[in-house]
């Protein structure tokens, strides 16, 4: 897919405010050709909005999509109408590169493709190539070639046209947002039935991740590259609420492309307007945005073979800024990240403040990805050393104290309390009465999971799906724990999947507990929204976890459940009720990450090797360090470090 290119100048300052090189260029060219220049526009009080003004805007041409940018909204006339875009006549370029893959779980699909009806989505005009024309005509035949990830040729399921996937791709492309003629992301939802847009017309960092993965697997790299570089540009913007600014390195929760008039000129220019939490409900900063950005950056490099992006000086600086913000010393005694309620996918008050599992799993994954991408040089050695130390401590902490199964549950049931000792077994002074009756009945004999949160005298025993699934993907959970998590999902299928995958958490907060923890939130009523609602977008994380553990049949079964009704229901944001029978009472239709999550699941099932762009494995050093911590007794007494040096008096 071609993109426009713009000439940028770097503004001076302590931290980079703009990208020092191409932000609209393709993967294959780092030179800019069109006449664009920097313009600063005063907006929202004292905050300056650096903007890109394209001098060729008056000579625009109609593209295949249209974006009504005046007024700041992206609207569609019908559910799947194509949006057309006023695109700048900028230099076009091509990108086509990928990651070599070998043979993986392909044999399973050869035997089961007919039964599961896993047809590929290789039927649009954007397909790079097909192996042979004859393959398209054969029914129920699977071709697993050793081509590159994302080129659209890895696995061609030729059982016919999959109309659900066709519709999903059409909707995903219709949600694309353009900035200076180049695609930079996808809006959160494009619901023609809703008159109140709120912020669903913005590009959310976390929401774009499944969209970005889908485009990568499809071989369309430019939109992901542009997204990565433009959000990096926003990282350095001034962000203030009530005269207070957060630490450097914070990524925005979302951004919007706005068209603003120029002073003393009849023309207008486009600007990116980010939200760091100043306008969010609850005014909570998005802790997970920077972590997801690092994960997507690594996936882009692995899928496209374009390592030039992650090796850029400004990108390396952005990675380091995020790491320093996360690794900063504080008052906490634990290696886990301490965050407020609502700082991740669950962005409303749900009692997850403290050390929620979702943040820890993403944190661990981002640390591994960052270590892989950091280039050696001045200032990196100390950061890498701190990163490695944190990885060891974090993995030990989560595996040792967050894990729960029937054996561990019985151990907690017999805990002694009020232990004042360096050798205490009940380190966090957990009271056995915290074990709820639902958990005793719900915990299967085979299987287990990582609890949702751990704080002094408090264990949140709720099952949080994203945290557990990404613990499997990132390797935060051990191999045995990862299989046990999938065993639990199979055992509790009726609760976690039911009629639409996947419960965001289980069980729901009800009665007085719901009143106290959520503050009587009318949107988070029991079995709705974040309070144990069912979210189709979680399908892609489930698929990644299953593919990594070589258990694709679980993901395939969940995809088949979703495929029965998600298109008929118009791709809702979430489902309500205990069994996910109703579309959510405030659910947006044509939710982009519901669409993208479904597509990613289908693409990964069709090409098992592609999962490697997202998964991380422990290295031998980390495993050895973890083993040493176990053998050295984690309950050892406190004392000064003994010097191994011998002194002669």
């Amino acid at each position: 897919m071609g993109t426009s290119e713009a000439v940028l100048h770097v503004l001076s300052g302590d931290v980079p405010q703009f990208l020092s090189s191409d932000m609209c260029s393709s993967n294959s060219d780092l030179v800019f050709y069109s006449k664009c220049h920097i313009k600063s526009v005063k907006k929202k009080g004292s905050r300056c909005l650096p903007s890109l003004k394209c001098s060729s805007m008056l000579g625009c041409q109609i593209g295949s999509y249209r974006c009504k940018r005046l007024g700041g909204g992206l609207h569609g006339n019908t559910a799947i109408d194509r949006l057309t875009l006023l695109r700048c006549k900028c230099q076009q370029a091509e990108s086509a590169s990928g990651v070599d893959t070998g043979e993986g779980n392909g044999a399973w699909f050869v035997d089961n493709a007919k039964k599961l009806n896993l047809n590929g989505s290789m039927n649009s005009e954007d397909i790079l190539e097909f192996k042979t024309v004859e393959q398209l005509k054969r029914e129920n035949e699977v071709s697993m070639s050793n081509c590159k990830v994302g080129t659209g040729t890895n696995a061609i399921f030729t059982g016919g046209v999959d109309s659900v996937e066709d519709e999903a791709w059409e909707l995903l492309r219709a949600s694309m947002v353009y900035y200076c003629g180049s695609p930079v992301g996808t809006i959160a939802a494009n619901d023609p039935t809703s008159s109140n847009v709120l912020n669903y017309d913005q590009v959310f960092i976390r929401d774009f991740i499944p969209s970005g993965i889908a485009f990568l697997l499809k071989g369309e790299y430019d939109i992901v590259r542009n997204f990565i570089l433009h959000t990096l540009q926003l990282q350095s913007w001034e962000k203030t609420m009530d005269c207070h600014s957060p630490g450097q390195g914070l990524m925005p929760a979302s951004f919007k492309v706005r068209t603003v008039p120029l002073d003393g000129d009849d023309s207008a220019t486009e600007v990116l307007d980010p939200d760091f939490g100043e306008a969010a409900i609850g005014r909570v900063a998005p802790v997970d945005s920077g972590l997801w950005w690092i994960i997507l950056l690594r996936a882009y490099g692995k899928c496209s073979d374009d390592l030039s992006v992650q090796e850029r000086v400004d990108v390396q600086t952005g990675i380091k800024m995020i790491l320093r913000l996360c690794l900063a010393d504080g008052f906490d005694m634990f290696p886990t990240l301490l965050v407020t309620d609502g700082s991740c996918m669950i962005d409303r008050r749900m009692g997850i403040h403290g050390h929620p599992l979702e943040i820890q799993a993403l944190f661990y994954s981002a640390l591994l990805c960052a270590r892989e991408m950091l280039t050696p040089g001045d200032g990196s050695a100390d950061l890498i050393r701190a990163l490695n130390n944190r990885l060891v401590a974090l993995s030990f902490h989560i595996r040792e104290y967050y894990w729960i199964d029937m054996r561990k549950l019985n151990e907690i049931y017999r805990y002694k309390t009020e232990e004042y000792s360096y050798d205490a077994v009940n380190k966090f002074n957990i009271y056995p009465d915290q074990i709820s009756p639902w958990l005793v009945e719900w915990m299967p004999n085979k299987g287990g999971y990582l609890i949702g949160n751990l704080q002094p005298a408090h264990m949140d025993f709720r099952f949080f799906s994203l945290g557990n699934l990404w613990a499997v993907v990132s390797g935060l959970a051990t191999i045995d724990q990862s299989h046990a998590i999938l065993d639990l999902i199979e055992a509790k299928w009726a609760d976690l999947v039911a009629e639409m995958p996947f419960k965001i958490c289980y069980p729901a907060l009800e009665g007085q507990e719901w009143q106290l923890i959520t503050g009587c939130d009318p949107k988070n009523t029991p079995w709705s929204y974040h309070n144990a609602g069912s979210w189709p977008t979680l399908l892609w994380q489930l698929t990644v976890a299953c593919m990594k553990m070589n258990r694709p049949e679980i993901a395939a079964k969940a995809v088949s459940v979703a495929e029965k009704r998600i298109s008929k229901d118009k791709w809702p944001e979430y489902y309500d009720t205990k069994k996910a029978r109703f579309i959510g009472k405030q659910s947006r239709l044509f939710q982009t990450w519901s669409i993208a999550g479904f597509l990613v699941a289908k693409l990964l099932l069709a090409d098992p090797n592609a999962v490697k762009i997202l998964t991380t494995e422990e290295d031998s050093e980390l495993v050895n360090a973890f083993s040493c911590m176990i053998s050295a007794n984690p309950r050892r007494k406190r004392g000064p470090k003994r010097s191994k040096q011998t002194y002669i008096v």
Side-chain angles (χ1 to χ4, degrees), residues 149-162:
V149 172
T151 61
T153 60
N154 302 66
I156 304 176
F157 288 86
T158 56
V161 175
D162 190 327

Side-chain angles (χ1 to χ4, degrees), residues 4 60 63 77 111 202 214 239 245 258 274 278 292 350 366 402 477:
S4 62
C60 295
N77 297 327
D111 297 332
Q202 298 188 20
K239 32 196 177 285
S245 297
R258 297 185 185 276
E278 314 101 310
W292 277 123
M350 271 292 292
Y402 276 62

Side-chain angles (χ1 to χ4, degrees), residues 486-501:
L486 297 183
D487 288 339
L488 180 134
I489 290 174
E490 283 191 303
K492 297 300 174 181
W493 190 267
D495 294 327
L496 300 176
V497 177
E499 297 189 23
M500 178 59 65

Side-chain angles (χ1 to χ4, degrees), residues 40-50 71-72 198-199 201-202 234 237-243 252-261 263 271-280 283:
S40 295
V41 181
K42 288 286 185 178
K43 190 176 181 67
K44 293 187 178 180
S46 61
R47 190 172 76 180
C48 294
L49 295 180
L198 293 178
N199 58 354
D201 62 344
Q202 298 188 20
L234 300 175
W237 282 22
E238 177 186 352
K239 32 196 177 285
T240 304
M241 192 183 84
D242 296 337
C243 303
S254 62
F255 66 86
K256 185 180 178 114
V257 179
R258 297 185 185 276
T259 302
V260 297
D263 296 336
V271 297
L272 294 179
D273 185 12
D275 176 19
F276 292 92
E278 314 101 310
R283 303 299 190 265

